[in-house]
Amino acid sequence: MAKQALGAARGVMLLASLIAQPIAARAAAADGRAEAADSLESETAPADDSAAADGAPDWRETTLGADWGGARKRLYDAGVQIDALYTADYLRNSGGGLQSGGAAMGHLDLIVQLDGRKLVGWQGGSAYLQVISNSGGRVNLNYVGSLMGVDNFEAPVNRSGIFQAWLQQSFLDDKASLRVGLYPIDSEFYVTESSGVFIHPSFGIAAEAADFGTLAGPSIYATSTYGARLRVDPDPAWYAMLAVTRGVSSNRVATAGPNLGWQQGSGSMVIGEVGVSPAKAGWLAERPGSTEFQDDGFAATSKLALGAWRFAPQFPELVAVNAAGDPLLTTHWGAYLLGEQTVYRVPGSNRNLTAFVRYGITDGETNSIGYSVSAGANYRGLFASRENDSFGIAATRAHVGPQGRTLLSEGVGAPLSSSAETAVEMTYRAQLAPGVIVQPVIQRIFNPSLYLPNATVAGARLQLAL
């Protein structure tokens, strides 16, 4: 009886947390609230020779506000770079899931980057501040009911405040760096550049790594915690990273702001990743990304990485108990493998096709998702006259383990129709003017929450770089 009562109670808690904040919706990378801002800035190379010489962005080509009458360039020369990005999404579920309906969501990013050498003569020093603000409704919570979510900006509650704030020191001739402060791990770990075009949350940090355990989860959007990250780049083709952060308490996920204080965290998370660029390592001779293709300035995407993470202390399992009816304890851990590569390039242009694949596993006993897999492709410049646009199609599948299925079934009070949830997304990202991007999207969600009817979600994203 104790085991049944415990399982039922946890089932209700699991269902509430999954619907209130979908697993992968907590996953859209922080730095990339980010990915949108970075992609806007990378759409075109600096057009002005003076900007190219000192590395300054070409704001005339990438923002609506241009150079703010010269103020941006003066700040940049002094060691201060300011970026602002507003994103507005409208998504509608046309059928299946919880019910038909749609909602609009808004998200504002204000990012300040400081160059320590320019500002105060701090050699190798830098700082980063990101303030976020959310508004609007919740499509997944109210209409879809997906475990993985549908929009990477959807959060359990609208929140405004500091999300990232860290200091960094580079050393060993910039071959190593140490970063300390409010640090979301999905700003650097478990990241594939080519999947950044997609709106579905699982193409940020994948669903299984973003799935919160029974006690705590990772420092990712939409709530971050304090941590430290060490990165080493011994060679241009190789890198290794290791980070330690506080865990975000599971019971605070739906109520916390954009960050938690050190004492408000729960336990700690350690994550490591080692990666290589096969193109830079010379493994892909005569392929996009080799030296032959870089002579004219084209830089291919090429990455292969392996990562692993674990939490301390041990977590209670989802439903398993001992003879006394107390939860069994085990280690909350996971590992992942990812790869992406530019596989085709239209000669003499930036038009190219890049593919990615990712696979991750967890212990499957302290959190519901046992493993996930995702794959997709991103074609930049599908049309010759639209070289800065991107077309993407991708799919992701999250498999829920036996304990997770038991817990979920008890929570909904109904049998499950599947052991996995699958999402397929197709999108087209169009740059209409400097700093203006419109992105229509359609998703098909199979077996939302493992028991709901298949859902079709469609809508559009508008991004303004200010």
Side-chain angles (χ1 to χ4, degrees):
M1 290 297 290
K3 179 179 180 179
Q4 293 175 344
L6 181 63
R10 285 181 175 165
V12 173
M13 292 174 63
L14 175 70
L15 180 63
S17 64
L18 289 177
I19 299 299
Q21 173 148 338
I23 290 168
R26 298 190 295 265
D31 205 57
R33 285 309 91 217
E35 283 172 348
D38 291 345
S39 58
L40 276 173
E41 292 180 2
S42 64
E43 292 293 351
T44 55
D48 159 337
D49 290 341
S50 63
D54 64 6
D58 186 355
W59 294 287
R60 292 176 303 176
E61 293 294 327
T62 60
T63 68
L64 283 168
D67 193 16
W68 297 346
R72 262 182 160 151
K73 184 63 166 62
R74 289 193 296 271
L75 285 170
Y76 183 87
D77 291 340
V80 181
Q81 181 174 339
I82 301 176
D83 296 291
L85 178 72
Y86 180 73
T87 303
D89 292 351
Y90 179 80
L91 295 179
R92 181 177 180 82
N93 177 27
S94 61
L98 296 170
Q99 59 178 326
S100 298
M105 292 167 282
H107 183 88
L108 179 66
D109 283 292
L110 176 64
I111 298 171
V112 180
Q113 301 178 68
L114 304 178
D115 183 320
R117 182 187 62 81
K118 291 181 179 179
L119 275 174
V120 294
W122 175 15
Q123 295 297 324
S126 59
Y128 187 96
L129 174 70
Q130 181 184 14
V131 177
I132 65 172
S133 180
N134 292 345
S135 61
R138 291 164 186 78
V139 175
N140 188 64
L141 173 65
N142 296 321
Y143 303 109
V144 183
S146 164
L147 292 180
M148 295 190 289
V150 296
D151 188 296
N152 54 19
F153 282 115
E154 183 172 346
V157 294
N158 289 332
R159 52 191 53 164
S160 300
I162 296 174
F163 179 62
Q164 284 194 76
W166 46 257
L167 298 175
Q168 177 171 292
Q169 175 66 59
S170 298
F171 48 97
L172 297 179
D173 293 327
D174 291 332
K175 291 184 177 180
S177 64
L178 178 65
R179 185 175 292 183
V180 179
L182 276 173
Y183 176 72
I185 63 164
D186 54 346
S187 61
E188 296 183 291
F189 290 86
Y190 213 155
V191 174
T192 42
E193 179 184 344
S194 53
S195 66
V197 68
F198 299 101
I199 288 175
H200 191 281
S202 286
F203 299 119
I205 192 170
E208 88 292 338
D211 185 1
F212 272 49
T214 50
L215 289 182
S219 174
I220 55 176
Y221 179 81
T223 300
S224 64
T225 59
Y226 287 87
R229 182 276 287 153
L230 176 67
R231 178 180 174 115
V232 180
D233 296 83
D235 179 271
W238 291 87
Y239 71 88
M241 299 187 294
L242 181 68
V244 180
T245 73
R246 291 286 281 165
V248 177
S249 302
S250 295
N251 60 7
R252 294 291 307 279
V253 170
T255 59
N259 66 76
L260 289 177
W262 183 267
Q263 294 182 342
Q264 296 172 313
S266 179
S268 61
M269 179 187 188
V270 178
I271 183 169
E273 181 179 304
V274 59
V276 62
S277 168
K280 292 180 180 179
W283 300 352
L284 301 172
E286 306 303 322
R287 295 293 179 88
S290 66
T291 302
E292 173 188 353
F293 286 90
Q294 293 179 349
D295 288 342
D296 62 0
F298 175 75
T301 298
S302 182
K303 180 179 181 179
L304 182 65
L306 175 68
W309 52 268
R310 63 166 290 171
F311 280 82
Q314 290 190 318
F315 286 14
E317 295 189 19
L318 293 171
V319 298
V321 296
N322 59 24
D326 298 321
L328 295 177
L329 299 179
T330 192
T331 301
H332 183 36
W333 65 270
Y336 58 90
L337 177 67
L338 60 85
E340 58 179 341
Q341 177 63 45
T342 300
V343 295
Y344 171 74
R345 178 200 178 193
V346 177
S349 75
N350 286 325
R351 300 171 62 202
N352 66 87
L353 175 66
T354 300
F356 70 89
V357 62
R358 311 190 304 177
Y359 176 75
I361 61 172
T362 71
D363 60 278
E365 296 173 332
T366 62
N367 65 338
S368 58
I369 296 182
Y371 67 85
S372 81
V373 60
S374 58
N378 179 349
Y379 198 118
R380 178 176 176 176
L382 184 62
F383 305 106
S385 61
R386 304 287 306 174
E387 191 171 278
N388 290 329
D389 293 357
S390 294
F391 169 77
I393 184 168
T396 182
R397 180 178 177 86
H399 182 273
V400 178
Q403 291 199 43
R405 295 198 300 272
T406 298
L407 196 56
L408 185 58
S409 179
E410 292 174 349
V412 301
L416 306 180
S417 58
S418 176
S419 62
E421 179 182 289
T422 302
V424 179
E425 177 174 324
M426 184 168 61
T427 189
Y428 188 89
R429 182 183 179 91
Q431 181 175 330
L432 302 186
V436 181
I437 285 180
V438 172
Q439 184 175 352
V441 62
I442 185 168
Q443 298 175 0
R444 180 68 170 170
I445 314 297
F446 298 92
N447 305 305
S449 288
L450 311 189
Y451 78 99
L452 294 168
N454 299 341
T456 300
V457 178
R461 167 170 286 182
L462 170 66
Q463 290 179 339
L464 305 176
L466 306 174

